[in-house]
Amino acid sequence: MSSRSLFLAVLLREFKISLTQKTDIATIFFFFLIVASLFPFAVGPDTGSLRTVGPGVVWVAALLSSLLALHRMFEGDFIDGSLEQFLLSGEPLVLIVVSKIFAHWLFTTLPIVILSPFVGMQFGISSEASWIMALTLLIGTPVLSLIGSVGAALTLGVRSGAALTALLILPLYIPVLIFGVGGTVAALQGVETTGHFSILLAFLCLSLALCPLATSAALKIALE
Amino acid sequence: MEWGSLQNFIDMGGYGLYVWGSYLVTLFAIAIEIFSLREK
Amino acid sequence: MRFWKYSTPQNFYPAAKKIAAVFFVLALCFGIPGLYIGFFVAPTDHQQGEAYRIIFIHVPAAWMSMFIYVVMAFWAAVGLILNTRLSSMLAQALAPTGALMTFLALWTGAFWGRPTWGTWWVWDARLTSELVLLFLYVGFIALRASIEDPRRADKASAILAIVGVVNVPIIYFSVKWWNTLHQGASVSLTKAPSMASDMLLGMLLMALSFWMYSIAVSMLRVRKIIRDRERNSGWLNN
């Protein structure tokens, strides 16, 4: 099987599975909305303070939703034995992993990215800055999924896996959070944002090159 | 460095709480670590 | 090869006890003069008064916290690549000491910060990175603890340590950049007291002492790990 058709085959498979788990995906989507909506109650409805915390709130909410969705990435395949079949198939596991991560991002996180500018506007962020925030999320959230895949693979079949994944992965999310929020804040202040985008893209390239390797190594360990 | 008296030494020029708060916690942590690794 | 003989837990177990004893003695040999210089030779700092004497444990703890993480990741990686059990045990033994050093660096940092900058905690780049380092240690220990099979725990935690060691510089520079952006909240930590040579000597001796202590105590912990893991293999009881 060529790499491209393998990639697409896994993607299609993930899409079909996602269609059977629509409520799962909807839950993650609404989790994002609810977490973001909690903050006006916490900091007060005053537009000024909401605008200050807005970019951070939307980013943290997106980050937590992405974390919440992580267990979906490999757990089902691990339990029903498909993961073992992937490994035995002789096809490159790294490629399957990349495809699965991409599918995971596409079905659980992309809807959040698309919704994010509207949530941003709720926080009094100007529409231009909101779109820039969506763009930082568009580049930043795949990095979160890539890093998260390592944690999801390491904690497969481990007790209290979800809490443990959070503990392992959240510290590694900090750089993405810093530059994602930084880019949005820069846009709000009318400052040049290319630097932030360059660094986010660098994070994306680096994690795309390294994380799938670590994830497939972790999956092999989990299946031993 | 001449401290003059034990009182001055403990007082650490008014910073006793901070200096000894650091040193005693360090000592305590090391003691716990070694104690937890003792061989019966 | 004599050296390789010690790469099995069985042969290393008695050797570790001797190494631990030697390095505990070395830790005292550096630590006692270090403390003596720190408290009785080094002069009062003209800016910070006596509060600066925390430096003699703060800086060594901070150095060791970072150094141990790298050494831990190194041994974990060796264990993963060469499939040597003892290397993974060394990594496992270093983690709690590394976490302890990180905790001490944070604790003494807070006790130093309070009198010198008037606050227990600032979101300074170094303090924040040190806090993240503590989280990385806790993650490593927690992952190990939640995997039943020790060999699987060795390998999984090795991957985590390698991922962590790649991320530490990225986190540090991101946090540093973030911190310079928000000048309001930061206090300049880089203004260390102008170091008299006695202060520097005391600090270096204490750093050596912490280093020797870390080796000694992780040798004791390796013994504990070997006892736990080889409980059923028979040779321990002889």
Side-chain angles (χ1 to χ4, degrees), chain A residues 78 147 150 153-160 164 167-169 171-172 174-176 178-179 182-183 185 196 199 203 206 210 214-215 217-218 221-224, chain C residues 80 132 135-136 138-140 142-149 151-153 155-157 159-160 163-164 166-168 170-171 173-178 181-182:
Chain A
F78 178 70
I147 298 173
V150 184
L154 284 173
T155 53
L156 267 187
V158 162
R159 62 189 136 82
S160 65
L164 187 59
L167 190 63
L168 304 187
I169 289 309
L172 307 179
I174 293 169
V176 185
I178 287 175
F179 286 98
V185 170
H196 299 87
I199 290 173
F203 286 161
L206 195 68
L210 298 178
T215 305
I221 292 165
L223 288 169
E224 258 172 22
Chain C
L80 185 69
V132 176
F135 296 153
L136 293 181
V138 171
F140 182 90
L143 180 64
R144 274 215 72 99
S146 54
I147 299 178
E148 302 273 342
D149 173 25
R151 288 303 283 152
R152 192 192 152 186
K155 290 175 187 169
S157 58
I159 290 178
L160 185 68
V163 170
V166 172
N167 269 283
V168 163
I170 298 176
I171 293 170
F173 287 109
S174 303
V175 168
K176 206 171 162 181
W177 178 86
W178 160 79
L181 197 73
H182 303 269

Side-chain angles (χ1 to χ4, degrees), chain A residues 49-172:
Chain A
S49 49
L50 281 182
R51 192 180 294 136
T52 326
V53 296
V57 167
V58 176
W59 251 93
V60 169
L63 186 148
L64 291 178
S65 316
S66 157
L67 180 78
L68 191 73
L70 274 180
H71 75 96
R72 288 186 75 253
M73 204 182 266
F74 302 114
E75 208 171 68
D77 288 348
F78 178 70
I79 291 167
D80 70 13
S82 328
L83 207 57
E84 206 151 5
Q85 295 301 318
F86 283 138
L87 196 65
L88 294 172
S89 67
E91 303 288 353
L93 186 61
V94 177
L95 196 65
I96 297 174
V97 163
V98 172
S99 183
K100 278 187 75 76
I101 297 168
F102 180 65
H104 178 266
W105 175 79
L106 204 61
F107 303 134
T108 62
T109 316
L110 188 61
I112 291 170
V113 175
I114 294 169
L115 186 73
S116 65
F118 303 105
V119 178
M121 289 171 208
Q122 280 189 309
F123 277 83
I125 301 171
S126 66
S127 52
E128 299 96 89
S130 288
W131 288 109
I132 291 197
M133 181 175 71
L135 208 55
T136 60
L137 283 165
L138 189 70
I139 303 170
T141 48
V143 184
L144 302 182
S145 296
L146 283 159
I147 298 173
S149 73
V150 184
L154 284 173
T155 53
L156 267 187
V158 162
R159 62 189 136 82
S160 65
L164 187 59
T165 313
L167 190 63
L168 304 187
I169 289 309
L170 285 179
L172 307 179

Side-chain angles (χ1 to χ4, degrees), chain C residues 59-74:
Chain C
V59 172
W63 282 349
M64 287 314 296
S65 68
M66 290 177 265
F67 180 58
I68 290 176
Y69 195 85
V70 177
V71 177
M72 182 186 89
F74 169 79

Side-chain angles (χ1 to χ4, degrees), chain C residues 135-216:
Chain C
F135 296 153
L136 293 181
Y137 274 119
V138 171
F140 182 90
I141 295 168
L143 180 64
R144 274 215 72 99
S146 54
I147 299 178
E148 302 273 342
D149 173 25
R151 288 303 283 152
R152 192 192 152 186
D154 284 346
K155 290 175 187 169
S157 58
I159 290 178
L160 185 68
I162 295 165
V163 170
V165 97
V166 172
N167 269 283
V168 163
I170 298 176
I171 293 170
Y172 179 71
F173 287 109
S174 303
V175 168
K176 206 171 162 181
W177 178 86
W178 160 79
N179 190 255
T180 50
L181 197 73
H182 303 269
Q183 273 302 334
S186 76
V187 173
S188 174
L189 260 163
T190 39
K191 280 190 194 120
S194 48
M195 292 278 259
S197 59
D198 289 335
M199 294 181 191
L200 193 65
L201 180 66
M203 201 175 80
L204 289 176
L205 283 172
M206 287 305 284
L208 282 169
S209 175
F210 272 51
W211 189 359
M212 302 299 123
Y213 168 79
S214 304
I215 294 174

Side-chain angles (χ1 to χ4, degrees), chain B:
Chain B
M1 185 69 205
E2 286 293 330
W3 292 98
S5 71
L6 184 66
Q7 188 53 46
N8 285 348
F9 185 64
I10 291 169
D11 196 45
M12 278 287 147
Y15 296 117
L17 168 68
Y18 305 107
V19 174
W20 299 120
S22 300
Y23 276 85
L24 288 180
V25 166
T26 305
L27 195 70
F28 187 61
I30 288 174
I32 288 180
E33 188 174 32
I34 293 174
F35 182 74
S36 71
L37 295 172
R38 78 197 183 283
E39 298 175 17
K40 279 160 230 155

Side-chain angles (χ1 to χ4, degrees), chain C residues 113-152:
Chain C
R114 180 69 201 163
T116 41
W117 326 306
T119 168
W120 295 102
W121 179 263
V122 281
W123 289 96
D124 165 83
R126 290 191 213 178
L127 285 177
T128 311
S129 308
E130 198 69 21
L131 186 66
V132 176
L133 187 64
L134 182 65
F135 296 153
L136 293 181
Y137 274 119
V138 171
F140 182 90
I141 295 168
L143 180 64
R144 274 215 72 99
S146 54
I147 299 178
E148 302 273 342
D149 173 25
R151 288 303 283 152
R152 192 192 152 186

